[in-house]
């Protein structure tokens, strides 16, 4: 069984187990589907919210200089941008003081928030040194299709909302599988009407 298939199987089993029995250790996590170009925030086995994203236009991988998005399990190692306004330009994880509007022509900056990822597996061990982030982008018109240089790009309003839910150490799983295969189905509410 190849590494990607094994990881996907372990992820599916882990999410299903958490959905049924809960887990005190890893109660929330992020799942990124490269195929769907979507990110799901999962808490105690339940999908809380989904966001459209943009992964690398160069494909998947983790070699230095490849500009690809790494696969597998990573974790949040640092966060930058607390209380910055939407569109605040961040360079080297520090605000430059400039703010740009969404879809400003000719601007491909990192904006609003930065979540720095560190790999946990051989297949993504270079992610931290490569500065693989989840971050805001002014190129919001390109969200929903691969357009980044390895990072996971989000709309400013979405990364600001997600940022406050993330904590240092939280797992981020990046996969080629669709979210529908990896996240548990919504459970019916016992109080829902059937008529």
């Amino acid at each position: 069984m190849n590494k990607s298939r094994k990881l996907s199987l372990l992820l599916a089993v882990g999410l299903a187990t958490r959905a049924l029995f809960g887990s005190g250790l890893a109660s929330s996590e992020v799942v990124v589907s490269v195929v769907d170009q979507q990110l799901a925030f999962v808490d105690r086995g339940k999908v809380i919210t989904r966001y459209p994203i943009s992964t690398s236009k160069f494909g998947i991988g983790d070699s230095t200089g490849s500009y690809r998005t790494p696969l597998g399990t990573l974790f949040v190692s640092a966060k930058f941008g607390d209380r910055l306004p939407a569109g605040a330009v961040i360079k080297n994880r520090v605000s430059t003081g400039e703010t740009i509007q969404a879809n400003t022509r000719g601007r491909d900056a990192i904006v609003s928030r930065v979540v720095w990822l560190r790999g946990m597996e051989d297949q993504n061990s270079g992610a931290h040194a490569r500065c693989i982030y989840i971050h805001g982008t002014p190129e919001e018109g390109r969200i929903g299709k691969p357009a980044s240089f390895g990072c996971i790009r989000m709309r400013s309003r979405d990364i600001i909302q997600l940022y406050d839910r993330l904590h240092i150490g939280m797992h981020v799983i990046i996969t080629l599988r669709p979210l529908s295969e990896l996240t548990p189905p919504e459970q019916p509410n016992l109080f829902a009407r059937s008529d």
Side-chain angles (χ1 to χ4, degrees), residues 83-97:
R83 296 180 297 281
L84 288 178
V89 176
I90 300 170
K91 187 168 180 149
N92 298 320
R93 297 171 298 280
V94 176
S95 172
T96 66

Side-chain angles (χ1 to χ4, degrees), residues 72-141:
T73 303
L74 302 92
F75 69 92
V76 175
S77 65
K79 296 169 52 178
F80 304 92
D82 289 4
R83 296 180 297 281
L84 288 178
V89 176
I90 300 170
K91 187 168 180 149
N92 298 320
R93 297 171 298 280
V94 176
S95 172
T96 66
E98 179 187 13
T99 302
I100 57 178
Q101 297 299 311
N103 299 308
T104 299
R105 292 180 143 263
R107 296 303 302 269
D108 188 13
I110 292 173
V111 299
S112 304
R113 302 288 187 277
V114 169
V115 177
W116 200 354
L117 302 178
R118 183 181 294 271
M120 298 177 68
E121 304 167 337
D122 287 342
Q123 68 177 331
N124 55 34
S125 61
H128 193 263
R130 292 178 55 219
C131 295
I132 298 298
Y133 305 145
I134 301 173
H135 67 80
T137 179
E139 293 192 317
E140 293 190 358

Side-chain angles (χ1 to χ4, degrees), residues 19-30:
L20 292 173
F21 304 109
S23 169
L25 296 175
S27 62
S28 57
E29 60 198 349
V30 170

Side-chain angles (χ1 to χ4, degrees), residues 16-81:
T17 302
R18 285 185 201 138
L20 292 173
F21 304 109
S23 169
L25 296 175
S27 62
S28 57
E29 60 198 349
V30 170
V31 181
V32 175
S33 170
V34 174
V35 173
D36 293 340
Q37 290 295 290
Q38 285 195 344
L39 176 153
F41 179 79
V42 180
D43 187 35
R44 291 176 182 83
K46 181 179 179 185
V47 176
I48 303 302
T49 188
R50 293 178 188 224
Y51 301 101
I53 51 106
S54 179
T55 58
S56 176
K57 61 184 172 183
F58 300 101
I60 56 159
D62 193 43
S63 56
T64 303
S66 69
Y67 299 109
R68 296 175 182 220
T69 299
L71 292 175
T73 303
L74 302 92
F75 69 92
V76 175
S77 65
K79 296 169 52 178
F80 304 92

Side-chain angles (χ1 to χ4, degrees), residues 143-169:
I143 293 293
K145 55 186 175 271
S148 84
F149 291 88
C151 292
I152 297 155
R153 294 180 178 184
M154 299 180 73
R155 287 180 244 174
S156 285
R157 71 174 183 258
D158 294 344
I159 186 61
I160 289 169
Q161 185 182 67
L162 177 67
Y163 183 90
D164 291 334
R165 291 181 161 152
L166 303 182
H167 59 79
I168 304 301

